[in-house]
Amino acid sequence: MRIIILGPPGAGKGTQAKLLSSHYGIPHISTGDIIREEIKRNTVLGVKIRGYVERGELVPDEDVIEIVKEKILLGNCGRGFVLDGFPRTIIQAKALDHILSGMGLRIDAVINLVVNEEELVRRISGRRICRSCGATYHLLFNPPEKDLKCSVCGGELYQRIDDMEETVRRRVRIYNIETKPLIGYYEEKGLLINVNGVGDINSVFSEILRKLGS
Ligand code: ADP
Ligand code: ADP
Ligand code: ZN
């Protein structure tokens, strides 16, 4: 199962990708998580890309493509993978096709999470991330079990700098320009599955599984 989860910032890509990953027993490849980890560890790449992420801009295509290529070639991707946050540009989508076809593989399905802008803002403003393990919560819609500590590891929760309102608006604008064209790109390939992303987390997940036909 090689799946892409597409959708605007805050649509629930990460949340649904994690559920799919455990349902199918396939790795969850989140470029956002990998990038935040590089920045946290102050690697050469992390230092180079920090500014883009903090401003809410896209990291250069060649850097993200390199990250994903390595994951697909070296990761545990024998049974497939779920890609979250990649591709985000047509250039990235074409690079992905190229990487996969070189391995005799292809994408099976692209889940497009459809969520209105008002709801995106509600989701992003309440989003909190665990500083230690990266788990995602929402203060109202998906709160941790115990007061602002990660339910998985007890870590401290924080708000991403790029989740500040100004930056979110820029990210949505960039999504509309750079990423939205991917909907047509995958529709033409007959891979696009639109899913209503509004509703509780489990009902969105059931809808995805139903449409994937399992
Ligand atoms: P993305 O990866 O697309 O940016 P996330 O999975 O991080 O989205 O979700 C954004 C925020 O919305 C998080 O705080 C998450 O807990 C919350 N969330 C995710 N799915 C839902 C849902 N179906 N209903 C309400 N809140 C949700
Ligand atoms: P969200 O969950 O809100 O959609 P992500 O966690 O996926 O955001 O990504 C956070 C940031 O990391 C992006 O705003 C961008 O700066 C960078 N990033 C992640 N994936 C990509 C990508 N495929 N191409 C370029 N930049 C990316
Ligand atoms: Zn944690």
Side-chain angles (χ1 to χ4, degrees):
M1 220 27 178
R2 282 174 294 274
I3 309 171
I4 292 172
I5 304 241
L6 206 62
K13 300 183 295 300
T15 302
Q16 298 299 328
K18 285 190 185 101
L19 293 171
L20 283 167
S21 163
S22 47
H23 182 86
Y24 288 112
I26 51 178
H28 168 208
I29 303 177
S30 158
T31 46
D33 286 351
I34 296 168
I35 284 169
R36 279 185 290 279
E37 188 61 27
E38 293 282 331
I39 293 173
K40 183 165 126 190
R41 286 170 39 222
N42 253 310
T43 61
V44 175
L45 178 63
V47 171
K48 179 187 170 194
I49 63 186
R50 160 177 259 136
Y52 295 101
V53 178
E54 290 185 351
R55 289 189 299 272
E57 292 164 9
L58 294 183
V59 165
D61 285 326
E62 62 267 26
D63 293 321
V64 218
I65 290 166
E66 202 47 50
I67 288 173
V68 169
K69 190 172 177 183
E70 195 172 302
K71 279 280 169 194
I72 293 179
L73 293 175
L74 307 175
N76 268 332
C77 295
R79 299 185 54 203
F81 52 74
V82 47
L83 266 178
D84 156 20
F86 183 95
R88 261 182 159 93
T89 63
I90 294 283
I91 291 177
Q92 292 178 17
K94 289 187 172 160
L96 177 64
D97 289 342
H98 186 74
I99 294 165
L100 291 178
S101 67
M103 301 168 78
L105 303 174
R106 57 179 181 75
I107 292 296
D108 297 305
V110 178
I111 309 286
N112 181 37
L113 287 178
V114 182
V115 176
N116 61 67
E117 206 161 319
E118 205 179 314
E119 176 70 9
L120 293 179
V121 173
R122 263 200 292 275
R123 289 188 183 180
I124 292 183
S125 58
R127 170 157 63 185
R128 295 295 183 273
I129 312 283
C130 171
R131 211 176 276 290
S132 321
C133 77
T136 301
Y137 299 89
H138 191 285
L139 294 179
L140 301 175
F141 308 142
N142 183 26
E145 285 154 18
K146 261 182 134 178
D147 40 87
L148 290 182
K149 296 278 183 236
C150 176
S151 308
V152 180
C153 76
E156 179 205 357
L157 302 188
Y158 77 104
Q159 182 172 33
R160 282 167 42 179
I161 326 183
D162 60 336
D163 276 353
M164 303 296 171
E165 200 179 327
E166 273 295 305
T167 316
V168 169
R169 263 198 286 271
R170 175 180 292 159
R171 282 162 56 208
V172 171
R173 212 158 52 228
I174 294 176
Y175 164 82
N176 284 324
I177 298 167
E178 302 279 356
T179 309
K180 230 181 191 173
L182 293 181
I183 295 174
Y185 181 85
Y186 288 117
E187 194 161 35
E188 253 171 48
K189 290 180 184 283
L191 294 175
L192 195 77
I193 300 175
N194 286 308
V195 171
N196 176 13
V198 183
D200 65 69
I201 291 173
N202 287 321
S203 51
V204 174
F205 184 54
S206 308
E207 176 78 354
I208 292 176
L209 289 185
R210 194 178 63 74
K211 289 195 165 164
L212 282 173
S214 58

